[in-house]
Structure formats: C-alpha cells, structure tokens
Amino acid sequence: MTDVTKLTAAELGRKLAAKELSAVEVATAHLDRIDAVEGKVHAFLHVDRDGALKAAKDVDDARAKGETTGPLAGVPIAVKDVITTKGVPTTAGSKILEGWRPPYDATIMTRMREAGLVMLGKTNMDEFAMGSSTEYSAYGPTYNPWDTTRIPGGSGGGSAAAVAAYEAPLAIGTDTGGSIRQPAAVTGTVGAKPTYGGTSRYGLVAFSSSLDTPGPCARTVEDAALLHAIIGGHDPRDSTSIPQPVPDVVAAARLGATGDLSGVRLGLVKEFAGDGAEPGVAAAYRESVDALVKLGAEVVEVSCPSFKFALPAYYLIAPSECSSNLARFDGVRFGLRSGDDGKHSLEEVMQLTREEGFGAEVKRRIILGTYALSAGYYDAYYGQAQKVRTLISRDFAQAFEKADVLVAPTTPFVAFPLGSRTSDPYQMYLADLYTIPSNLYGGPAISVPAGLSEGLPVGLQIMAPTMADDRMYRVAAALESALPPLTPPAL
C-alpha cells in the first residue's frame, strides 16, 4: 500500500484524476499525518480539519458529475499564516491578530480554491514575517524535521517544515528577503520566489510592500511550478501586479527534468562564490555547479560589486516600510485591544495594545524604520538605501547580459541550533545574506536541494531576470534530476 503522504503533488493529481484515490482519502491521510507528527514539528498554527474535508468532498462531487478539474484538484496544501483566509484565523504569527478571522480571501487563496486545492491549515511563521528562524513567532518555534533541535528557517519555517515532514505536499510562503528560499534550503525542500508583481499581494498581511512576494513551497521542482502556475498572473486589485501572463514554468520544469542544459549560461557570482559560507555548504555548491556543467551548461564568472551592500540596504528599506505598514495595528479597528476600560485615552489604548501585541523583533524593526524615515535622516538612510537598490539592479542587468541565470548558495550555513542566534540579531540577519539581492532587484529565484553538509540539507539558489521565471525552473529541475533525492529521518 503506497503511503499517500509520500506522493508528490503531481503524482497525487494524476491518481485523483484517474479516480485511483478520492480527495477525501488524500485529505484524511494528511490530516492523520499532522495528528501523528505535529507535536514534534509544530508547523501549523491552525488546522482546518472540517474545512479541508468539505473542500475535498466538493472536489470529489465535481469529478463525479464529470466537471473539468485542474491538475492539482484535490491536492492538499498548507498556507502561511500571513495570507488572509475567509473565516479562518489569520494571525501573521502575532498576538496582536490573535483570533482575527478575515472577511475575505487573498487573491492567491481564491485562485487555489478555484483550482480545487484543499487547504489543510495555516502554518507558523516569524511574527509579521520578520525573522530567519521562526523563533520570533508569538506562538512558539517550529522544529526542523531533519533535526528537531534546529531551526527550520524563516520567516516561513512552518510551511517548509510541513512539506519536509510530509504533513502537506505543497505549501504557500512569502519571500521578502529570503523567507521562502532560506527555509527550503535548510529543510531539503524546494522554495521559489516569483518575479515581484508576478503573484498578487492582495490579501497578504503587509511587511515591506516593495519586497513581499508570495510563492510556492514543495518537495519537487515540478510541484512548485504547478503551484506557481495557479497562483501567478495579473491581479487588478494589486497595483504592483505585472499585467503579463506567467511564463510557462511547468513546461520549463519538465524540460529541465530531461537533464539537458546545452546552451545555458550559468553565472557564478564572484562575490557569492562560497566566500563566507561554511566549508560543507561551499563544497555542496561546487559539486552542484559541476553537476550542472556535466548536463551541458556553460559557466561564466560575473561580478556584482554592489551585492555586498544588499544586507545593510535591506535592513533600512524593509524596516522603514514595516514601520508604515504596521501603523494600522492600533487596537481600534481589528485584532487585540488592551486597556479599553474607560480609564485610558485612545492614545494610551494604542500604546498598551502595541506593547502587549508586538514582539521584540517587530518592535526593533519599527523603531529602526521610524528613525530612518524621520526628518533629517530620510536622505541619509532610506534615500541612500534606495540608491544602493538601484546599483544592485544594475549589477543584475549587467550580469544577465553574460549569463542566462546566476547561481550561488542559498544560505551561508546549514540549520543552526534553536536559541543559538536569538540574542544576536546581526548573526540572525546573515542567514539572508545570499537571498536579499534578488528581493531588492525584484527578479525570481529558487532554492533547490543540493546535497548534505554534516547530515543537514544545503540549498543551491538559481536567480533569473524579471519575468524569466521559467529559466530558473529549467535549471533547478535539471539539478534535481542529477542529484539523489533528500529524505529526512523518520520523526
């Protein structure tokens, strides 16, 4: 008897279409798996058992009537708790939104429902997506299925851990500075950040509006591409949405899986050539590049000198935007309200609500961002950071004149022990050293498993030009075909 939870989303889709499995059977198997391992992983903040079984039955009923269904109809999915889901708790990992049930669905949620995907629940995350380890969740950390004493990455560690632990074949994450790709790297899964504007931000609880990008998490490149194709595309409700169709990422992934990269130029970023990475990570990176060369790819070295300024620029731009976005959480309109006893003024209620509702990392970034935007400092900090952003975009443009895609390690190190970096924010921020440039540029990037270091997963990051998401999927699928799959130890 095949373990349903070990099947890929593509395999599940085919078996469901052939009526070898029912959507209710598939949903039940994954809900049972969640019951069995969630105590060790804590990937979910809310499991919507009743909603999942109803959605699954609706798919089965539609198939019984002969209605046309999509390739992932009936396939379960976990959704990061920063995506609004009608009637289902959405907390963004924060106490300030505890118990909030949105009155509407995010655009990507609507598209997934229309495609017949079955939402299992909402996954854990760093509060308001601010963090690199999921330790800043107000509801406790998530644990890495490879080693439950270590972090699963962040901010979307819950989504990555759910996929790695076979609690769900697919998940949705969001990537502001690496929050899809870095968790994928340290959990041995696939995580893709689409082109900024290629997936709708409508219904995404905002952190940094010029950077936030929803995207797919999966165990295979093909599965990530199938989900990307569903959630991507223009949305008139998002003013930053690109009015162009999504490139054919599924066909690109399937082409890559044939293992032929003839004519593809790989750009090795001089500034990210494993320097600063742990020896095992650097070794896995070199072995991955060698594997891609054996498949026919050509290697060229490119220099992106402004990349070294990406981390400090990001930690001015993102906190500045967050200090503006989080001003809406005032205890008046929705969410937590503290001190409303008739003895406190409106301003005091806001102050008490934010003191109780926001965690330390969120407060740190709000303070930093407010300072950077203040009169007299705007040009010196935020303005300068935006100039650096322009320089980084120019570096990408010049690099893509020589190469079709750029490759680098996804993270400088493997999953680190829980609690080892929470007292040193700078060391925590270094987890996103290699991922941040793509966010500042706005181009797509994907992390794909690239072997092990000290028994823990390593990821290779593949970066492509804006609206050339198909290129990264082709190269990622080719690497996946050349390397043995990673399987976490039994929980």
Side-chain angles (χ1 to χ4, degrees):
M1 180 73 179
T2 302
D3 183 348
V4 170
T5 63
K6 298 293 174 66
L7 298 174
T8 68
E11 290 168 340
L12 285 170
R14 288 191 288 270
K15 287 183 178 292
L16 286 160
K19 299 183 179 178
E20 295 174 23
L21 290 169
S22 72
V24 170
E25 287 174 328
V26 173
T28 301
H30 285 88
L31 290 166
D32 289 347
R33 173 68 178 175
I34 292 169
D35 288 343
V37 303
E38 184 61 7
K40 300 175 183 177
V41 180
H42 189 220
F44 286 86
L45 293 179
H46 175 77
V47 177
D48 187 18
R49 175 176 284 272
D50 291 343
L53 292 175
K54 181 184 182 303
K57 185 177 184 304
D58 289 344
V59 172
D60 287 339
D61 290 347
R63 279 212 171 93
K65 294 174 185 175
E67 296 176 12
T68 302
T69 53
L72 295 182
V75 175
I77 188 164
V79 177
K80 188 177 181 181
D81 202 28
V82 74
I83 304 294
T84 57
T85 43
K86 186 175 181 179
V88 178
T90 301
T91 69
S94 179
K95 288 290 185 186
I96 209 163
L97 279 175
E98 188 171 17
W100 183 56
R101 293 175 182 261
Y104 68 101
D105 273 332
T107 292
I108 63 169
M109 196 65 232
T110 300
R111 289 177 177 173
M112 290 190 292
R113 291 192 200 278
E114 289 172 349
L117 284 156
V118 175
M119 186 182 76
L120 297 170
K122 308 295 288 294
T123 57
N124 198 14
M125 57 181 284
D126 286 296
E127 185 179 5
F128 287 106
M130 299 180 200
S132 302
S133 65
T134 317
E135 291 172 288
Y136 294 140
S137 169
Y139 304 98
T142 293
Y143 306 98
N144 193 325
W146 283 82
D147 179 346
T148 54
T149 68
R150 294 177 180 263
I151 59 102
S155 63
S159 288
V163 171
Y166 301 101
E167 293 178 296
L170 296 169
I172 288 290
T174 60
D175 198 305
T176 305
S179 291
I180 290 174
R181 290 163 288 156
Q182 184 252 2
V186 300
T187 59
T189 56
V190 176
K193 181 198 94 68
T195 295
Y196 176 79
T199 48
S200 173
R201 290 187 301 108
Y202 179 81
L204 168 64
V205 180
F207 162 19
S208 182
S209 300
S210 73
L211 300 166
D212 297 341
T213 308
C217 312
R219 288 193 293 271
T220 69
V221 175
E222 182 187 19
D223 284 0
L226 286 165
L227 181 53
H228 187 156
I230 288 170
I231 65 173
H234 181 243
D235 177 16
R237 292 182 292 185
D238 175 3
S239 62
T240 58
S241 179
I242 299 172
Q244 293 180 30
V246 179
D248 194 344
V249 293
V250 176
R254 289 171 177 164
L255 174 62
T258 63
D260 182 9
L261 289 181
S262 302
V264 175
R265 298 170 300 166
L266 300 179
L268 272 58
V269 181
K270 180 182 175 183
E271 288 73 16
F272 286 170
D275 294 340
E278 290 176 348
V281 172
Y285 166 67
R286 291 190 294 270
E287 289 168 9
S288 297
V289 172
D290 290 344
L292 293 172
V293 169
K294 288 177 183 176
L295 298 177
E298 173 192 346
V299 168
V300 295
E301 185 176 86
V302 297
S303 179
C304 299
S306 299
F307 280 17
K308 64 177 176 287
F309 303 120
L311 192 71
Y314 173 86
Y315 278 102
L316 285 167
I317 293 169
S320 295
E321 295 184 6
C322 108
S323 76
S324 175
N325 277 324
L326 269 59
R328 72 193 65 176
F329 301 104
D330 53 15
V332 175
R333 285 164 285 193
F334 48 79
L336 180 72
R337 181 181 299 172
S338 301
D340 186 17
D341 55 7
K343 298 177 183 178
H344 295 94
S345 68
L346 176 61
E347 189 172 294
E348 289 170 332
V349 169
M350 289 183 185
Q351 185 177 5
L352 290 166
T353 297
R354 288 170 175 162
E355 171 61 30
E356 181 182 346
F358 287 144
E361 180 64 19
V362 171
K363 290 173 183 173
R364 179 185 292 121
R365 298 202 195 191
I366 290 173
I367 291 167
L368 176 60
T370 303
Y371 180 81
L373 292 176
S374 60
Y377 296 100
Y378 181 96
D379 289 335
Y381 294 108
Y382 185 74
Q384 287 295 103
Q386 291 289 17
K387 290 176 184 177
V388 169
R389 188 176 192 171
T390 300
L391 294 175
I392 289 168
S393 295
R394 288 177 184 171
D395 280 355
F396 268 110
Q398 290 171 3
F400 287 130
E401 290 176 1
K402 300 177 182 177
D404 298 308
V405 297
L406 307 183
V407 295
T410 307
T411 59
F413 32 73
V414 294
F416 48 84
L418 287 155
S420 63
R421 297 185 182 228
T422 48
S423 61
D424 188 343
Y426 179 69
Q427 288 300 315
M428 186 74 79
Y429 297 166
L430 284 175
D432 299 328
L433 181 67
Y434 299 148
T435 53
I436 282 172
S438 285
N439 294 91
L440 293 174
Y441 162 58
I446 190 170
S447 179
V448 63
L452 300 174
S453 171
E454 302 172 24
L456 294 167
V458 175
L460 179 77
Q461 180 183 203
I462 300 154
M463 298 163 274
T466 53
M467 292 308 289
D469 304 52
D470 50 331
R471 293 189 197 177
M472 69 179 187
Y473 277 103
R474 179 185 175 188
V475 176
L479 180 64
E480 183 180 65
S481 72
L483 298 178
L486 302 184
T487 304
L491 285 165

